[in-house]
């Protein structure tokens, strides 16, 4: 069976000889198209479906949110215990609330050959890479120009002018970290950008270090008579 084919009821695993999974990190300044590209990846029926990590947070649950689906909602004491025990791949404090990614479900998913999709900023990316360097693939999405970035944020009509300016200032500092990423995509045309992301997604599945049993397979090949 082709590694890119999904079959109902079957779960990929290293024991079955399929590649080990990996963490695909997407980062970008607000308005560069990261979330749109992530949604396309999740909706692509021709790809093995990536899994979205479910974060833990100390923020209160909103009426529309489901515990365990949108977030795992926990208290601050529990969060800090997990953080101090090294049970989180990455964490941050945002507006007085803590957010983090549990490590155990990510490691379990990778062992089964799944790809974990992370939508985090450069600081979170640094933490994930430090914790699991061999399993992390990072992609930074850039806008084609600063004016286009401004236009996209304005056209969303979601923020007041002062918020827009703050987002743009944050974008300048975020874009300074593009060199820290494995891949960089300039999102001038959404479909062209998605094709590039898709190519990265597929190529990383067959990276030599993710494929179990290659040593024995090649040994058998070269010793065949």
């Amino acid at each position: 069976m082709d590694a890119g084919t999904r079959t109902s009821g079957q779960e990929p695993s290293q024991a079955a000889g399929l590649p080990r999974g990996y963490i695909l990190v997407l980062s970008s300044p607000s308005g560069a198209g990261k979330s749109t590209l992530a949604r396309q990846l999740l909706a692509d029926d021709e790809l093995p479906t990536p899994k979205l990590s479910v974060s833990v947070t100390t923020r209160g649950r909103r009426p529309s949110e489901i515990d365990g689906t949108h977030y795992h909602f926990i208290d601050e004491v529990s969060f800090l215990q997990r953080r101090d025990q090294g049970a989180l791949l990455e964490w941050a404090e945002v507006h007085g609330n803590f957010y983090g990614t549990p490590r155990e479900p990510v490691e379990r998913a990778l062992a089964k050959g799944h790809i974990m999709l992370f939508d985090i900023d450069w600081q979170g990316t640094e933490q994930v890479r430090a914790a699991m360097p061999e399993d992390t693939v990072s992609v930074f999405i850039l806008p084609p120009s600063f004016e286009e970035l401004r236009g996209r944020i304005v056209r969303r009509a979601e923020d007041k002018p002062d918020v827009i300016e703050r987002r743009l200032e944050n974008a300048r500092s975020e874009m300074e970290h593009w060199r820290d990423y494995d891949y960089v995509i300039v999102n001038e045309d959404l479909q062209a950008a998605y094709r590039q992301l898709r190519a990265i997604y597929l190529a990383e599945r067959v990276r030599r270090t993710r494929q179990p049993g290659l040593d024995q397979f090649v040994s058998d090949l070269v010793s065949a008579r």
Side-chain angles (χ1 to χ4, degrees):
M1 183 180 72
D2 185 275
T5 302
R6 284 177 288 172
T7 302
S8 177
Q10 293 185 351
E11 201 169 42
S13 68
Q14 287 181 268
L18 293 178
R20 174 174 169 81
Y22 64 89
I23 296 167
L24 179 62
V25 174
L26 299 184
S27 300
S28 77
S30 177
K34 167 185 49 137
S35 297
T36 301
L37 289 168
R39 284 195 297 269
Q40 285 190 265
L41 204 57
L42 290 166
D44 194 328
D45 290 335
E46 296 181 357
L47 296 179
T49 307
K51 291 184 175 293
L52 279 171
S53 62
V54 180
S55 299
V56 293
T57 182
T58 60
R59 174 175 67 72
R61 184 176 65 85
R62 295 167 182 158
S64 62
E65 292 175 326
I66 301 171
D67 187 22
T69 298
H70 297 95
Y71 288 97
H72 296 291
F73 296 94
I74 62 176
D75 59 48
E76 186 171 317
V77 171
S78 298
F79 186 97
L80 295 177
Q81 285 177 340
R82 295 188 188 197
R83 182 198 66 182
D84 296 342
Q85 292 167 357
L88 299 178
L89 278 178
E90 57 87 26
W91 69 277
E93 183 178 1
V94 182
H95 305 307
N97 296 304
F98 289 102
Y99 297 81
T101 302
R103 180 171 187 147
E104 183 181 349
V106 173
E107 291 186 330
R108 191 166 58 244
L110 298 189
K112 292 180 178 179
H114 295 301
I115 298 167
M116 297 295 294
L117 183 60
F118 280 56
D119 179 348
I120 53 179
D121 66 9
W122 66 269
Q123 293 167 306
T125 301
E126 283 188 349
Q127 294 181 54
V128 172
R129 186 187 292 115
M132 303 182 74
E134 298 301 318
D135 292 312
T136 303
V137 177
S138 57
V139 182
F140 198 87
I141 313 297
L142 287 169
S145 70
F146 198 79
E147 283 309 306
E148 175 62 20
L149 183 68
R150 180 191 298 274
R152 290 176 184 178
I153 294 175
V154 170
R155 287 194 294 271
R156 289 194 308 207
E158 293 177 347
D159 300 311
K160 296 179 180 178
D162 62 319
V163 175
I164 289 174
E165 290 307 313
R166 187 161 63 249
R167 286 186 182 276
L168 291 171
E169 283 307 306
N170 289 340
R172 293 183 192 275
S173 62
E174 289 166 8
M175 288 189 290
E176 292 286 345
H177 295 274
W178 67 272
R179 292 182 182 86
D180 301 331
Y181 286 72
D182 299 314
Y183 300 93
V184 176
I185 296 174
V186 178
N187 183 17
E188 182 171 7
D189 175 84
L190 182 61
Q191 293 311 309
Y194 179 67
R195 286 194 296 271
Q196 292 176 334
L197 178 60
R198 194 178 193 274
I200 294 166
Y201 183 92
L202 290 171
E204 286 291 339
R205 280 183 61 80
V206 292
R207 182 178 286 272
R208 173 179 55 80
T209 54
R210 301 193 215 288
Q211 298 191 64
L214 272 183
D215 284 342
Q216 185 61 52
F217 176 74
V218 175
S219 178
D220 290 345
L221 277 179
V222 299
S223 62
R225 292 291 185 270

